[in-house]
Structure formats: C-alpha cells, structure tokens
Amino acid sequence: MNALRTEHDSLGALEVPADAYWGIHTARALDNFQASGIPLAAHPALVRSLALVKQAAALANQEIGLLDPEIAQAIAAACRSIVGGQHHHEFRVDVIQGGAGTSTNMNANEVIANLALEQLGLERGRYDVISPLSHVNCCQSTNDAYPTALRLAISEALEGLLTELGPLVDAFQGKGAEFAHVVKVGRTQLQDAVPMTLGQEFTAFAVTLTEDMARLRETLPLLHETSLGATAIGTGITAGPGYAEAAVRHLSTLTGLALKPAADLVEATSDTGAFLLVSGVLKRLAVKLSKICNDLRLLSSGPQSGLAEIALPPRQAGSSIMPGKVNPVIPEMVNQICYGVAGADVSITMAAENGQLQLNAFEPLIGHLLLTSIQQLARGCTTLRTHCIIGITANEDHLARQAARSVGSVTALTPFIGYAAAARIAKEALATGTDVVDLVVRDGLMDQERAMTLLSSASNPVLIRRG
C-alpha cells in the first residue's frame, strides 16, 4: 500500500499520499472539482506564472523583514524549479473550480511549501517550519495573487501567438508576390465582379492578419497592470508596509516585464476588463482567420466542378467511399478552432458580467478559456502555414480562361464608353459568349489595342488613365 501522511485544515484531518507535494487543500479540491478533467498542469504558462508570483512575494517579504532569509530563499528556489519546468504534474486541481481560484492558489502554495521543505532537508508536511499559508502565501490573497498570475500567463501566451502569426503573415505575403502576375475574376456576393490578381487576394489576407497582430500587442500593457498587494478586496489588509511596491518590483525583475500597480486596487480586484478586451481581440482574429479559411476552401473547390482557382496541398485521403477524393482538412480544422474561440468569448462575457461586488468568482473559467483559445489559435496558425499555405499552387491556365471571357471586365471600360454602353455590351457578351473586346470594336466604341490595354490593366486601377 502507498504510504500516507495526515494533514489538517479548518475542516479537520485528511490523509494524502506521503510522496505528494500537494496537500490537504488540494486533496479536497480534487474531490470537489472533476468537471472538465483538465488539470492546471495543462496550462504550463499559468503554472510558471503562479511560481513567479510566489517567488516575488517571498523576496519582497524577506526585504521588508516578514520572512526569515533562509525560508524565503528556500521558497524562491522551489519556485525557480517550477519556472524551469519541474513538478508541473503536481498542479492537479481541475481548471473549472469554485472559490474564485482559491484551490489553484492553495495547490501552488502547498507544492511550493513542500519543495521548499525539501530544500532544507525536511520531510513533506512539516508546515510548522514552512507553511503554505503563513509563509508561501504571506501578504497575499488568492484575490490578488491568482489574477496577477493569470495576467502573466495570458501575456506569455499572447507573445507565443504573435510569434506564430508573424510567419503566417509572411507566408501569405510570399504567395501574394508569387501570384502577382496571375489575373483572375474578383467576386462580390459570390457573383463575378471585376478583374484582380490572385496576388492581391493573398496579400489582403496578410494585411488583415497584420492588423490583428497590432490589436493583440495593444492589449499587453493592460495585462501588465497588477493588483499584487491588494489582498482580499483591494484594501491591502494583512500586507506589510512596503510589500506591494517591493512585490511588483521583484516580479518585474523576474519576468522582464514593465509591470505597474493598478491605479485603484479595489477596482482592480473586481475588474475583468482586460480579460474581456483580450477575448474580443481573439474573437476578431478568429473571425478573420475563419473567413480566410472559408475563402481558401471556396477557391480550391472542385477540382472539376467547383471554382478550382487554387490547389491546396493534399494532406490525406478524403473519403472512405470515394476513391481519389481529397478534402481541405487543414482549413476545416482551423475553422473549428475559430468557432471555439468565438464560443469562448460568449462564456467569458457571461463570466465577467456575473462577478458580484468586490470579486469575480468566475476567473478560473475566464483564464482557462483565454489560455485555451490562445494556445489553439497559435497551433492552428502554425499548422495552416506549414501544411497548407506554403504549398498552395495557382491553376493559372484556368484563371486566364475565366478572366478572358468574364463580362465583369467590361467595368474597366465604363469610364471610357459610358455605363449604358458597358451594360449593353456585358449583357450581349453574357448571352452570346462573344468576347467583350470584339463587341466593343464592332460597335466602334474603341479600337482593339486600346481595349486590350485597359482590360489587361484592370487588376491594377492605378494603370488606367482616361483618354
């Protein structure tokens, strides 16, 4: 049988595995919360951020004289090991939990306390020497430590998403340059419109994602505001003099971020505005990314009876019944990621709105959904780039034939022959299949050379000149 140790809290005694770094508070949470089956360890950025907050707190408490240096340094060493990637499996509490993140905070406190005891050569559970509450949680509340860790984790995750978005933008820009010479018919409301180039279409994808990268970067300074030192509701009760300033300073040094205290700690304790803003920008990115994937699926539809303007790289067999069928599985996967992000935004909105008075009890859901959305978007961007975008080819002959017989091209002649004449030419060309240029020349509206010049430059309006 596995060895056990007995721990105590205000509710009584409980046995926990002797070799566990977590303790009684985590054990009760493991029993209470089993909704998602997803442990805190599924979000490594959050685990690291919790450890960074605890390390900064320990160093601040040593600085102001509330922690013995030996204990503070043992706690700091324990935190460094977690930041370095060790012991993450000990963060076992379910990501969906009641208590506004108290179970998450206690899971971190207990793991760090027992790791610190190990640093001193003592057995786990010797909380008379290093206590999860009196020492690791000194001058803190879940209500300031946990949201601060969430902000750090989301900030780190966003930097990772930006790192993946950049190469995706570059891939679209590369295809824009590669396809710059390929003339095609643009479409509005799924109907033929006017000529453009395939390069312009792909460059537009790059530009729209670049805009979202800028919006994501704009959210980072808001995440770098911290309520550390606010304790329970923002009044700083139980925090030692000078603790808040020291804790924020140490946390800035540890993270390399320009962190600053929130202007009003009471407001900051209950406010989830930064999380809402991040969620909204993520939804914006998701909607745009999903629209791009929709376009890629439409443009590659066929290959014989669809648009078939581009070919996506084949990734796997597309059917268990239809031999040779290949589906646009990579864009489809990214679509589904984006639908999930949009749905998460609704849940985050509800969770933010339902916070009561001085605290929002639903930050565990907010944090989990934000971190999940960011992580999946980052992975989706990488997969879309490597498994789809860089391998796209243009069906140039097909596009040339379509552009040559498209009545939409007559729009380029409208400034020169008038709208009424252009409309008549378009109608006849569509009904008879006659080339637009032949009809224009037949009716004496323009000579062939001039018409051809205007139509060939129609995808670049800058080249068109009256006269």
Side-chain angles (χ1 to χ4, degrees):
M1 295 180 62
N2 293 329
L4 301 171
R5 68 174 188 265
T6 302
E7 294 196 6
H8 300 80
D9 64 4
S10 59
L11 298 183
L14 201 65
E15 291 184 328
V16 300
D19 61 352
Y21 286 101
W22 47 269
I24 187 171
H25 295 280
T26 303
R28 293 196 190 281
L30 291 174
D31 185 48
N32 288 333
F33 310 125
Q34 303 174 17
S36 73
I38 303 171
L40 293 173
H43 297 305
L46 178 56
V47 174
R48 288 191 295 270
S49 296
L50 286 164
L52 286 166
V53 170
K54 300 298 177 179
Q55 184 179 355
L59 296 174
N61 284 318
Q62 177 184 339
E63 180 180 320
I64 66 174
L66 291 183
L67 274 187
D68 177 271
E70 184 180 28
I71 291 176
Q73 291 305 311
I75 292 172
C79 292
R80 285 194 296 271
S81 69
I82 294 169
V83 173
Q86 300 180 56
H87 312 295
H88 282 211
H89 63 281
E90 297 286 338
F91 289 76
R92 298 184 56 189
V93 175
D94 198 280
V95 293
I96 306 299
Q97 55 188 261
T102 297
S103 295
T104 294
N105 188 41
M106 286 307 305
N107 194 164
N109 287 334
E110 289 174 337
V111 171
I112 292 167
N114 283 307
L115 285 169
L117 286 168
E118 198 169 70
Q119 289 284 324
L120 300 181
L122 299 173
E123 65 271 19
R124 295 163 206 180
R126 283 293 308 275
Y127 299 149
D128 57 315
V129 179
I130 298 181
S131 164
L133 293 171
S134 299
H135 298 113
V136 180
N137 201 63
C138 182
C139 291
Q140 301 154 64
S141 163
T142 294
N143 303 348
D144 65 337
Y146 176 61
T148 297
L150 271 184
R151 286 169 175 261
L152 293 179
I154 293 166
S155 179
E156 178 186 328
L158 285 177
E159 292 286 2
L161 174 56
L162 286 166
T163 298
E164 299 306 325
L165 264 173
L168 178 60
V169 167
D170 292 342
F172 278 121
Q173 287 281 18
K175 288 297 171 181
E178 180 183 341
F179 300 147
H181 66 287
V182 182
V183 178
K184 60 162 284 181
V185 179
R187 294 179 181 84
T188 56
Q189 292 140 295
L190 293 180
Q191 305 301 304
D192 293 353
V194 299
M196 64 183 300
T197 68
L198 189 60
Q200 288 173 320
E201 196 161 26
F202 274 79
T203 297
F205 295 155
V207 171
T208 199
L209 293 179
T210 300
E211 291 176 353
D212 287 306
M213 291 180 68
R215 302 293 82 76
L216 286 172
R217 290 192 182 98
E218 289 169 0
T219 68
L220 292 173
L222 295 177
L223 292 170
H224 296 163
E225 292 183 3
T226 173
S227 62
L228 202 57
T231 67
I233 63 170
T235 63
I237 190 171
T238 75
Y243 165 78
E245 183 276 331
V248 174
R249 174 164 37 82
H250 282 291
L251 190 57
S252 294
T253 300
L254 291 171
T255 60
L257 300 173
L259 304 177
K260 62 179 182 179
D264 186 303
L265 292 179
V266 173
E267 186 275 340
T269 304
S270 62
D271 179 51
T272 56
F275 299 143
L276 276 172
L277 184 59
V278 172
S279 182
V281 176
L282 290 175
K283 182 179 76 171
R284 168 184 159 139
L285 169 61
V287 168
K288 288 189 177 186
L289 198 56
S290 187
K291 190 269 183 189
I292 289 171
C293 288
N294 291 340
D295 286 354
L296 294 176
R297 292 192 293 115
L298 277 172
L299 293 172
S300 65
S301 61
Q304 293 172 304
S305 59
L307 297 184
E309 295 189 358
I310 61 174
L312 306 184
R315 295 299 306 179
Q316 61 187 55
S319 175
S320 62
I321 188 174
M322 293 173 281
K325 190 174 189 292
V326 178
N327 295 326
V329 293
I330 302 302
E332 287 172 348
M333 181 204 72
V334 176
N335 278 132
Q336 292 173 81
I337 290 173
C338 295
Y339 304 156
V341 173
D345 180 66
V346 175
S347 297
I348 290 167
T349 300
M350 294 176 64
E353 186 272 333
N354 278 286
Q356 294 92 25
L357 303 177
Q358 279 70 59
L359 185 66
N360 189 300
F362 309 116
E363 284 185 348
L365 177 66
I366 293 173
H368 169 59
L369 292 178
L370 282 176
L371 290 170
T372 299
S373 293
I374 296 168
Q375 181 183 66
Q376 291 186 357
L377 281 170
R379 291 174 177 172
C381 287
T382 302
T383 304
L384 183 63
R385 173 176 58 86
T386 59
H387 290 355
C388 183
I389 305 305
I390 62 176
I392 290 176
T393 56
N395 295 329
E396 296 192 31
D397 292 343
H398 175 61
L399 287 167
R401 287 192 297 271
Q402 284 188 318
R405 64 173 182 259
S406 171
V407 297
S409 62
V410 78
T411 303
L413 306 181
T414 302
F416 309 96
I417 65 175
Y419 189 92
R424 176 174 53 77
I425 292 292
K427 184 176 181 180
E428 184 176 351
L430 187 62
T432 65
T434 308
D435 286 350
V436 166
V437 172
D438 291 342
L439 294 174
V440 169
V441 173
R442 183 202 67 187
D443 291 352
L445 298 171
M446 189 176 293
D447 63 54
Q448 185 174 25
E449 182 180 358
R450 179 61 171 157
M452 291 297 293
T453 299
L454 289 171
L455 292 178
S456 65
S457 62
S459 61
N460 188 355
V462 175
L463 300 179
I464 298 178
R465 295 289 184 269
R466 288 181 179 271

